[in-house]
Amino acid sequence: MIAQNGPIPLDRYMALCLGHPVHGYYRTRDPLGASGDFTTAPEISQIFGELIGLWAAEVWHAMGRPAPCRLVELGPGRGTLMADALRAVSTALPAFAEAIDLHLVETSPVLRRAQAARLDAAGVPATWHEAAGTVPDGPALILANEFFDALPVRQFERTAQGWCERRVGLAPDGARLVLGLDPDPTPGLPATAGTGAILTLPSVALSEMRRLAGRLA
Protein backbone atom coordinates (compact mmCIF):
# COMPACT_ATOMS: atom_id res chain seq x y z
CA MET A 1 0.00 0.00 0.00
CA ILE A 2 2.78 2.42 0.92
CA ALA A 3 4.79 1.52 -2.17
CA GLN A 4 1.79 2.22 -4.39
CA ASN A 5 0.22 5.23 -2.68
CA GLY A 6 2.93 6.83 -0.56
CA PRO A 7 3.42 7.32 3.20
CA ILE A 8 0.45 6.80 5.54
CA PRO A 9 -0.31 8.39 8.94
CA LEU A 10 0.82 6.51 12.03
CA ASP A 11 -2.75 5.78 13.16
CA ARG A 12 -3.54 4.14 9.81
CA TYR A 13 -0.39 2.03 10.07
CA MET A 14 -1.27 0.97 13.63
CA ALA A 15 -4.85 0.13 12.64
CA LEU A 16 -3.63 -2.15 9.85
CA CYS A 17 -1.00 -3.83 12.02
CA LEU A 18 -3.54 -4.55 14.76
CA GLY A 19 -6.77 -5.15 12.89
CA HIS A 20 -6.04 -6.31 9.33
CA PRO A 21 -8.47 -9.23 8.70
CA VAL A 22 -5.68 -11.57 7.51
CA HIS A 23 -2.45 -10.32 9.07
CA GLY A 24 -3.63 -8.22 12.06
CA TYR A 25 -1.99 -8.86 15.41
CA TYR A 26 -5.26 -9.09 17.36
CA ARG A 27 -7.10 -10.93 14.58
CA THR A 28 -4.74 -13.88 14.32
CA ARG A 29 -3.63 -14.90 17.82
CA ASP A 30 -4.22 -14.96 21.55
CA PRO A 31 -1.62 -12.42 22.70
CA LEU A 32 -2.07 -13.00 26.44
CA GLY A 33 -0.14 -15.03 28.99
CA ALA A 34 3.22 -16.80 29.13
CA SER A 35 2.94 -17.94 25.52
CA GLY A 36 1.94 -14.46 24.32
CA ASP A 37 3.36 -10.95 24.58
CA PHE A 38 1.72 -9.42 27.67
CA THR A 39 -0.72 -10.06 30.48
CA THR A 40 -3.47 -8.03 32.16
CA ALA A 41 -4.85 -7.72 35.68
CA PRO A 42 -7.75 -10.20 35.20
CA GLU A 43 -5.26 -12.89 34.15
CA ILE A 44 -3.17 -12.34 37.30
CA SER A 45 -5.89 -12.53 39.95
CA GLN A 46 -9.59 -13.35 39.95
CA ILE A 47 -10.06 -10.66 42.62
CA PHE A 48 -9.81 -7.96 39.95
CA GLY A 49 -12.80 -9.21 37.94
CA GLU A 50 -14.79 -10.01 41.08
CA LEU A 51 -14.37 -6.44 42.35
CA ILE A 52 -15.41 -5.03 38.97
CA GLY A 53 -18.51 -7.24 39.07
CA LEU A 54 -19.45 -6.08 42.55
CA TRP A 55 -18.88 -2.45 41.51
CA ALA A 56 -21.21 -3.00 38.54
CA ALA A 57 -23.85 -4.51 40.83
CA GLU A 58 -23.64 -1.51 43.17
CA VAL A 59 -23.99 0.96 40.29
CA TRP A 60 -26.92 -1.04 38.88
CA HIS A 61 -28.62 -0.75 42.27
CA ALA A 62 -27.99 3.02 42.32
CA MET A 63 -29.47 3.27 38.78
CA GLY A 64 -32.79 1.98 40.11
CA ARG A 65 -32.23 -1.69 39.22
CA PRO A 66 -33.24 -1.49 35.53
CA ALA A 67 -34.06 -4.75 33.78
CA PRO A 68 -32.73 -5.50 31.33
CA CYS A 69 -29.42 -3.74 31.83
CA ARG A 70 -26.80 -4.00 29.10
CA LEU A 71 -23.52 -5.14 30.60
CA VAL A 72 -20.96 -4.30 27.92
CA GLU A 73 -17.24 -5.04 27.82
CA LEU A 74 -14.96 -3.47 25.24
CA GLY A 75 -12.00 -5.67 24.34
CA PRO A 76 -12.81 -8.58 26.69
CA GLY A 77 -9.54 -10.48 26.18
CA ARG A 78 -10.10 -14.15 26.99
CA GLY A 79 -13.32 -13.40 28.87
CA THR A 80 -11.59 -13.82 32.22
CA LEU A 81 -12.68 -10.51 33.73
CA MET A 82 -16.31 -11.04 32.73
CA ALA A 83 -16.38 -14.64 33.96
CA ASP A 84 -15.03 -13.56 37.35
CA ALA A 85 -17.45 -10.62 37.50
CA LEU A 86 -20.48 -12.80 36.70
CA ARG A 87 -19.47 -15.42 39.25
CA ALA A 88 -19.23 -12.75 41.97
CA VAL A 89 -22.57 -11.09 41.21
CA SER A 90 -24.46 -14.36 40.83
CA THR A 91 -23.61 -15.06 44.47
CA ALA A 92 -23.79 -11.56 45.93
CA LEU A 93 -26.75 -10.12 44.00
CA PRO A 94 -28.65 -12.72 41.95
CA ALA A 95 -31.23 -10.10 40.89
CA PHE A 96 -28.50 -8.22 39.01
CA ALA A 97 -27.28 -11.39 37.33
CA GLU A 98 -30.83 -12.04 36.12
CA ALA A 99 -31.16 -8.48 34.76
CA ILE A 100 -27.93 -8.62 32.74
CA ASP A 101 -28.08 -8.49 28.95
CA LEU A 102 -24.46 -9.29 28.11
CA HIS A 103 -22.67 -7.72 25.12
CA LEU A 104 -19.00 -8.14 24.18
CA VAL A 105 -17.26 -5.85 21.68
CA GLU A 106 -14.49 -7.92 20.09
CA THR A 107 -13.02 -7.99 16.59
CA SER A 108 -10.75 -11.03 17.03
CA PRO A 109 -12.20 -14.42 15.99
CA VAL A 110 -9.52 -16.13 18.08
CA LEU A 111 -10.45 -14.24 21.24
CA ARG A 112 -14.18 -14.58 20.59
CA ARG A 113 -13.77 -18.36 20.72
CA ALA A 114 -11.82 -18.07 23.97
CA GLN A 115 -14.48 -15.79 25.46
CA ALA A 116 -17.31 -18.15 24.48
CA ALA A 117 -15.52 -21.09 26.09
CA ARG A 118 -14.76 -19.15 29.27
CA LEU A 119 -18.28 -17.72 29.64
CA ASP A 120 -20.15 -20.92 28.83
CA ALA A 121 -20.15 -21.93 32.50
CA ALA A 122 -21.53 -18.55 33.61
CA GLY A 123 -24.97 -19.31 32.22
CA VAL A 124 -25.43 -15.77 30.86
CA PRO A 125 -25.83 -15.73 27.05
CA ALA A 126 -23.65 -13.18 25.27
CA THR A 127 -23.96 -11.23 22.03
CA TRP A 128 -20.79 -10.22 20.17
CA HIS A 129 -20.25 -6.96 18.27
CA GLU A 130 -17.56 -5.56 16.00
CA ALA A 131 -18.17 -2.05 17.40
CA ALA A 132 -19.78 -0.54 20.49
CA GLY A 133 -22.18 1.47 18.32
CA THR A 134 -24.22 -1.65 17.51
CA VAL A 135 -25.05 -2.47 21.14
CA PRO A 136 -28.82 -1.95 21.60
CA ASP A 137 -30.10 1.16 23.34
CA GLY A 138 -31.12 1.07 26.97
CA PRO A 139 -29.53 1.33 30.43
CA ALA A 140 -25.92 0.17 30.22
CA LEU A 141 -22.80 -0.46 32.27
CA ILE A 142 -19.69 -0.35 30.08
CA LEU A 143 -16.38 -1.93 31.09
CA ALA A 144 -13.13 -1.20 29.26
CA ASN A 145 -10.02 -2.65 30.89
CA GLU A 146 -6.93 -1.60 28.90
CA PHE A 147 -9.11 -1.13 25.82
CA PHE A 148 -8.34 2.52 25.10
CA ASP A 149 -4.60 1.92 25.61
CA ALA A 150 -4.40 -0.23 22.48
CA LEU A 151 -6.16 2.05 20.00
CA PRO A 152 -4.23 3.76 17.17
CA VAL A 153 -2.88 7.27 17.73
CA ARG A 154 -1.82 10.18 15.55
CA GLN A 155 1.56 11.75 16.23
CA PHE A 156 2.98 15.16 15.37
CA GLU A 157 6.37 16.85 15.62
CA ARG A 158 6.79 20.59 16.08
CA THR A 159 8.93 22.05 13.30
CA ALA A 160 9.78 25.59 12.22
CA GLN A 161 6.75 25.41 9.90
CA GLY A 162 4.34 24.14 12.63
CA TRP A 163 3.02 20.75 13.71
CA CYS A 164 3.78 18.15 11.02
CA GLU A 165 2.17 14.74 11.23
CA ARG A 166 4.35 11.67 11.43
CA ARG A 167 3.89 9.18 8.64
CA VAL A 168 5.21 5.71 7.85
CA GLY A 169 6.94 5.44 4.50
CA LEU A 170 9.72 3.60 2.70
CA ALA A 171 13.45 4.21 3.05
CA PRO A 172 15.20 5.45 -0.12
CA ASP A 173 16.33 1.90 -0.89
CA GLY A 174 12.68 0.73 -0.70
CA ALA A 175 13.65 -2.17 1.57
CA ARG A 176 12.37 -1.02 4.96
CA LEU A 177 9.78 1.16 6.65
CA VAL A 178 10.80 4.45 8.21
CA LEU A 179 9.11 7.34 10.03
CA GLY A 180 8.95 10.71 8.34
CA LEU A 181 7.01 13.97 8.52
CA ASP A 182 4.27 15.39 6.35
CA PRO A 183 5.76 18.47 4.66
CA ASP A 184 2.52 20.42 5.19
CA PRO A 185 1.77 21.41 8.82
CA THR A 186 -1.55 20.55 10.45
CA PRO A 187 -3.45 23.63 11.68
CA GLY A 188 -5.35 23.95 14.93
CA LEU A 189 -2.81 22.39 17.33
CA PRO A 190 -1.23 24.16 20.35
CA ALA A 191 1.19 26.89 19.36
CA THR A 192 3.18 27.02 22.62
CA ALA A 193 5.45 24.00 22.19
CA GLY A 194 9.06 24.36 21.11
CA THR A 195 10.69 22.93 18.01
CA GLY A 196 11.24 19.19 18.30
CA ALA A 197 8.31 18.62 20.68
CA ILE A 198 6.19 15.50 20.07
CA LEU A 199 2.40 15.50 20.38
CA THR A 200 0.51 12.21 20.55
CA LEU A 201 -3.20 12.57 19.81
CA PRO A 202 -5.45 9.59 20.73
CA SER A 203 -7.98 10.49 18.04
CA VAL A 204 -9.61 7.03 17.84
CA ALA A 205 -9.97 6.81 21.62
CA LEU A 206 -11.45 10.31 21.78
CA SER A 207 -13.94 9.48 19.03
CA GLU A 208 -14.97 6.26 20.78
CA MET A 209 -15.33 8.04 24.14
CA ARG A 210 -17.49 10.75 22.57
CA ARG A 211 -19.82 8.09 21.17
CA LEU A 212 -20.09 6.41 24.57
CA ALA A 213 -20.65 9.74 26.33
CA GLY A 214 -23.37 10.61 23.83
CA ARG A 215 -25.13 7.32 24.54
CA LEU A 216 -24.98 7.82 28.30
CA ALA A 217 -26.09 11.45 28.03
Side-chain angles (χ1 to χ4, degrees):
M1 179 186 297
I2 293 173
Q4 291 178 358
N5 302 318
I8 60 176
L10 185 62
D11 59 342
R12 177 67 174 147
Y13 177 75
M14 289 180 67
L16 288 168
C17 288
L18 298 177
H20 188 279
V22 176
H23 306 292
Y25 176 80
Y26 285 118
R27 293 270 188 166
T28 55
R29 75 202 74 194
D30 180 348
L32 294 160
S35 61
D37 296 313
F38 62 90
T39 191
T40 59
E43 301 293 333
I44 296 172
S45 171
Q46 69 186 54
I47 295 174
F48 184 85
E50 291 170 348
L51 289 173
I52 295 294
L54 295 174
W55 168 86
E58 177 64 20
V59 174
W60 173 75
H61 186 79
M63 291 165 65
R65 301 164 66 99
C69 180
R70 321 289 185 210
L71 182 59
V72 185
E73 186 174 3
L74 311 181
R78 293 172 170 169
T80 305
L81 183 155
M82 187 57 71
D84 291 339
L86 293 174
R87 183 178 61 254
V89 301
S90 65
T91 302
L93 195 59
F96 175 49
E98 294 173 4
I100 289 173
D101 179 26
L102 182 59
H103 295 266
L104 304 176
V105 179
E106 178 61 69
T107 61
S108 166
V110 175
L111 291 177
R112 282 192 183 197
R113 290 193 291 270
Q115 293 154 17
R118 186 65 56 87
L119 292 171
D120 185 57
V124 179
T127 302
W128 278 266
H129 302 265
E130 286 280 327
T134 60
V135 175
D137 290 338
L141 289 161
I142 301 171
L143 310 179
N145 179 53
E146 298 191 25
F147 170 77
F148 288 96
D149 313 39
L151 297 177
V153 298
R154 298 176 70 187
Q155 203 167 69
F156 302 84
E157 182 175 334
R158 181 74 174 180
T159 71
Q161 289 73 40
W163 287 104
C164 294
E165 185 162 11
R166 280 189 165 167
R167 293 177 174 267
V168 179
L170 290 175
D173 60 9
R176 57 193 173 89
L177 296 170
V178 294
L179 285 172
L181 294 178
D182 191 324
D184 298 319
T186 300
L189 297 175
T192 54
T195 300
I198 304 298
L199 172 65
T200 299
L201 181 64
S203 51
V204 178
L206 289 171
S207 177
E208 188 66 33
M209 184 58 76
R210 289 187 184 104
R211 279 193 290 269
L212 294 174
R215 176 197 173 105
L216 295 175

Tab-separated table of all heavy atoms in Angstrom, residues 19 24 49-50 53 55 61 64 71 74 76-77 83 94 111-112 150 168 183-184 190-192 201:
chain	number	residue	atom	x	y	z
A	19	GLY	N	-5.447	-4.668	13.245
A	19	GLY	CA	-6.772	-5.151	12.889
A	19	GLY	C	-6.952	-5.668	11.486
A	19	GLY	O	-8.090	-5.983	11.100
A	24	GLY	N	-3.588	-9.047	10.858
A	24	GLY	CA	-3.630	-8.218	12.060
A	24	GLY	C	-3.238	-8.961	13.316
A	24	GLY	O	-3.621	-10.113	13.535
A	49	GLY	N	-11.501	-9.090	38.593
A	49	GLY	CA	-12.798	-9.211	37.943
A	49	GLY	C	-13.946	-9.265	38.933
A	49	GLY	O	-15.034	-8.724	38.677
A	50	GLU	N	-13.730	-9.920	40.072
A	50	GLU	CA	-14.791	-10.006	41.080
A	50	GLU	C	-15.136	-8.616	41.618
A	50	GLU	O	-16.317	-8.284	41.794
A	50	GLU	CB	-14.344	-10.926	42.209
A	50	GLU	CG	-14.255	-12.388	41.780
A	50	GLU	CD	-13.589	-13.263	42.805
A	50	GLU	OE1	-12.989	-12.728	43.769
A	50	GLU	OE2	-13.655	-14.498	42.652
A	53	GLY	N	-17.129	-6.747	39.066
A	53	GLY	CA	-18.508	-7.241	39.067
A	53	GLY	C	-19.318	-6.663	40.213
A	53	GLY	O	-20.476	-6.251	40.029
A	55	TRP	N	-18.683	-3.878	41.805
A	55	TRP	CA	-18.881	-2.449	41.510
A	55	TRP	C	-20.061	-2.269	40.565
A	55	TRP	O	-20.917	-1.400	40.757
A	55	TRP	CB	-17.603	-1.872	40.890
A	55	TRP	CG	-17.804	-0.510	40.286
A	55	TRP	CD1	-17.728	0.692	40.926
A	55	TRP	CD2	-18.141	-0.228	38.924
A	55	TRP	NE1	-17.995	1.707	40.034
A	55	TRP	CE2	-18.253	1.173	38.805
A	55	TRP	CE3	-18.366	-1.021	37.795
A	55	TRP	CZ2	-18.573	1.794	37.600
A	55	TRP	CZ3	-18.680	-0.397	36.595
A	55	TRP	CH2	-18.775	0.992	36.509
A	61	HIS	N	-27.678	-1.034	41.181
A	61	HIS	CA	-28.622	-0.752	42.271
A	61	HIS	C	-28.891	0.751	42.367
A	61	HIS	O	-30.045	1.183	42.510
A	61	HIS	CB	-28.049	-1.279	43.589
A	61	HIS	CG	-28.997	-1.167	44.742
A	61	HIS	ND1	-30.029	-2.058	44.950
A	61	HIS	CD2	-29.080	-0.253	45.737
A	61	HIS	CE1	-30.696	-1.698	46.037
A	61	HIS	NE2	-30.146	-0.614	46.528
A	64	GLY	N	-31.374	2.323	39.963
A	64	GLY	CA	-32.786	1.980	40.110
A	64	GLY	C	-33.107	0.564	39.670
A	64	GLY	O	-34.264	0.243	39.414
A	71	LEU	N	-24.865	-5.095	30.048
A	71	LEU	CA	-23.518	-5.145	30.604
A	71	LEU	C	-22.578	-5.352	29.426
A	71	LEU	O	-22.612	-6.385	28.756
A	71	LEU	CB	-23.378	-6.275	31.616
A	71	LEU	CG	-22.004	-6.394	32.305
A	71	LEU	CD1	-21.646	-5.110	33.048
A	71	LEU	CD2	-21.978	-7.582	33.262
A	74	LEU	N	-15.717	-3.798	26.434
A	74	LEU	CA	-14.959	-3.466	25.238
A	74	LEU	C	-13.597	-4.157	25.317
A	74	LEU	O	-12.853	-3.968	26.279
A	74	LEU	CB	-14.763	-1.955	25.125
A	74	LEU	CG	-16.001	-1.073	25.302
A	74	LEU	CD1	-15.627	0.401	25.141
A	74	LEU	CD2	-17.090	-1.453	24.322
A	76	PRO	N	-12.712	-7.707	25.509
A	76	PRO	CA	-12.811	-8.580	26.688
A	76	PRO	C	-11.681	-9.594	26.859
A	76	PRO	O	-11.764	-10.438	27.753
A	76	PRO	CB	-14.147	-9.320	26.463
A	76	PRO	CG	-14.802	-8.672	25.294
A	76	PRO	CD	-13.713	-8.045	24.490
A	77	GLY	N	-10.644	-9.546	26.017
A	77	GLY	CA	-9.541	-10.485	26.179
A	77	GLY	C	-10.001	-11.923	26.023
A	77	GLY	O	-10.663	-12.284	25.056
A	83	ALA	N	-16.027	-13.403	33.263
A	83	ALA	CA	-16.377	-14.640	33.959
A	83	ALA	C	-16.264	-14.460	35.471
A	83	ALA	O	-17.143	-14.903	36.232
A	83	ALA	CB	-15.488	-15.782	33.476
A	94	PRO	N	-28.059	-11.947	43.053
A	94	PRO	CA	-28.647	-12.722	41.947
A	94	PRO	C	-29.606	-11.908	41.084
A	94	PRO	O	-29.725	-12.175	39.887
A	94	PRO	CB	-29.368	-13.855	42.677
A	94	PRO	CG	-28.698	-13.970	44.007
A	94	PRO	CD	-28.277	-12.578	44.364
A	111	LEU	N	-10.050	-14.591	19.875
A	111	LEU	CA	-10.449	-14.244	21.236
A	111	LEU	C	-11.942	-14.450	21.453
A	111	LEU	O	-12.363	-14.768	22.573
A	111	LEU	CB	-10.045	-12.799	21.543
A	111	LEU	CG	-8.534	-12.570	21.657
A	111	LEU	CD1	-8.225	-11.095	21.889
A	111	LEU	CD2	-7.941	-13.411	22.774
A	112	ARG	N	-12.753	-14.291	20.433
A	112	ARG	CA	-14.185	-14.584	20.592
A	112	ARG	C	-14.396	-16.036	20.994
A	112	ARG	O	-15.231	-16.348	21.848
A	112	ARG	CB	-14.940	-14.280	19.295
A	112	ARG	CG	-15.212	-12.810	19.059
A	112	ARG	CD	-16.205	-12.626	17.915
A	112	ARG	NE	-16.434	-11.227	17.612
A	112	ARG	CZ	-17.460	-10.774	16.900
A	112	ARG	NH1	-18.344	-11.627	16.409
A	112	ARG	NH2	-17.606	-9.482	16.662
A	150	ALA	N	-4.869	0.483	23.663
A	150	ALA	CA	-4.398	-0.234	22.476
A	150	ALA	C	-4.904	0.350	21.170
A	150	ALA	O	-4.640	-0.215	20.107
A	150	ALA	CB	-4.828	-1.703	22.573
A	168	VAL	N	4.373	6.889	8.092
A	168	VAL	CA	5.208	5.713	7.852
A	168	VAL	C	5.383	5.569	6.352
A	168	VAL	O	4.403	5.493	5.603
A	168	VAL	CB	4.573	4.442	8.437
A	168	VAL	CG1	5.457	3.218	8.163
A	168	VAL	CG2	4.346	4.602	9.942
A	183	PRO	N	5.160	17.147	4.896
A	183	PRO	CA	5.764	18.473	4.662
A	183	PRO	C	4.812	19.627	4.957
A	183	PRO	O	5.262	20.751	5.207
A	183	PRO	CB	6.130	18.435	3.176
A	183	PRO	CG	5.242	17.388	2.583
A	183	PRO	CD	5.029	16.374	3.646
A	184	ASP	N	3.504	19.364	4.934
A	184	ASP	CA	2.521	20.423	5.190
A	184	ASP	C	2.063	20.350	6.648
A	184	ASP	O	1.573	19.313	7.104
A	184	ASP	CB	1.322	20.266	4.272
A	184	ASP	CG	1.706	20.403	2.806
A	184	ASP	OD1	2.527	21.287	2.494
A	184	ASP	OD2	1.189	19.613	1.981
A	190	PRO	N	-1.795	23.145	19.448
A	190	PRO	CA	-1.234	24.164	20.348
A	190	PRO	C	0.012	24.829	19.781
A	190	PRO	O	0.887	24.165	19.214
A	190	PRO	CB	-0.894	23.360	21.617
A	190	PRO	CG	-1.792	22.166	21.557
A	190	PRO	CD	-1.972	21.839	20.112
A	191	ALA	N	0.090	26.132	19.958
A	191	ALA	CA	1.193	26.891	19.365
A	191	ALA	C	2.330	27.141	20.353
A	191	ALA	O	3.324	27.775	20.011
A	191	ALA	CB	0.671	28.228	18.847
A	192	THR	N	2.215	26.652	21.578
A	192	THR	CA	3.177	27.020	22.623
A	192	THR	C	4.393	26.107	22.684
A	192	THR	O	5.387	26.447	23.308
A	192	THR	CB	2.477	27.000	23.991
A	192	THR	OG1	1.857	25.717	24.182
A	192	THR	CG2	1.414	28.076	24.063
A	201	LEU	N	-1.767	12.258	19.763
A	201	LEU	CA	-3.200	12.566	19.812
A	201	LEU	C	-3.990	11.262	19.695
A	201	LEU	O	-3.989	10.624	18.626
A	201	LEU	CB	-3.567	13.512	18.670
A	201	LEU	CG	-5.029	13.951	18.575
A	201	LEU	CD1	-5.417	14.765	19.804
A	201	LEU	CD2	-5.261	14.755	17.303
